[in-house]
Amino acid sequence: MLSWPDEAGCAACAASLARRPALRDAFIELRGPLGAGKTTFVRHLLHALGITGAIKSPTYALMEPYRAAADCGGFEIAHFDFYRFDDPQEWEDAGFREVFAGPGLKLVEWPEKAAALLPRCDLRIDIAPREKGDIRDVRFEAMSTRGEELLA
């Protein structure tokens, strides 16, 4: 367990994770209540991977695709937000099975909303805001060998 005292702590953690070679094909679940900082963490991670411009939450689109900068490996990235997900047929219709079967980094907010459809993740990140202030308590849990490599 660690704590992010502020957004700069979140950004530093994301930048550290971005330097891990195992990230290029990882599946990372981000868990926490509304406003915990899941999208903020993803934003910082994507910026550390060379993505420029606005990075929006895919709450309504369900998925936003990106590509890491060439000097960061140039790999595909899919950022999912299943907060509004409630129809398993959407999964098939949107081609998410193929996305998860293919190479690249998958970042999933609200994975519990699609749990029956998702493969096992490599890394689970639980973010819990404290009642007062900007401090976040964060727990990283490796769920696979790749997840262990991400935490090494």
Side-chain angles (χ1 to χ4, degrees):
M1 176 88 70
L2 63 97
S3 293
W4 295 333
D6 51 25
E7 191 169 335
C10 173
C13 185
S16 176
L17 187 61
R19 292 189 291 272
R20 307 292 177 154
L23 189 67
R24 71 178 306 116
D25 283 312
F27 167 21
I28 298 174
E29 289 184 353
L30 295 115
R31 295 174 176 257
L34 279 172
K38 298 178 295 293
T39 301
T40 299
F41 179 79
V42 169
R43 238 181 239 126
H44 286 298
L45 181 62
L46 295 179
H47 283 145
L49 291 169
I51 310 299
T52 57
I55 295 169
K56 59 185 177 177
S57 173
T59 301
Y60 292 99
L62 295 181
M63 184 189 96
E64 289 290 336
Y66 299 95
R67 178 177 282 282
D71 62 340
C72 293
F75 53 90
E76 298 293 323
I77 302 167
H79 176 203
F80 295 88
D81 184 330
F82 290 126
Y83 182 72
R84 298 194 187 299
F85 182 81
D86 56 48
D87 181 2
Q89 190 58 46
E90 275 183 282
W91 179 268
E92 295 297 333
D93 294 346
F96 293 157
R97 185 177 311 281
E98 290 79 19
V99 173
F100 275 88
L105 172 61
K106 287 84 173 171
L107 301 163
V108 177
E109 298 182 45
W110 299 98
E112 60 275 15
K113 299 277 192 157
L117 302 167
L118 293 172
R120 183 177 178 96
C121 70
D122 296 303
L123 184 64
R124 181 173 292 150
I125 303 173
D126 289 294
I127 306 170
R130 292 196 187 162
E131 283 193 37
K132 294 186 184 200
D134 293 333
I135 298 172
R136 302 293 193 257
D137 291 319
V138 187
R139 185 171 58 100
F140 291 81
E141 184 178 2
M143 307 299 286
S144 70
T145 303
R146 180 177 287 127
E148 290 171 3
E149 290 175 29
L150 290 169
L151 295 180

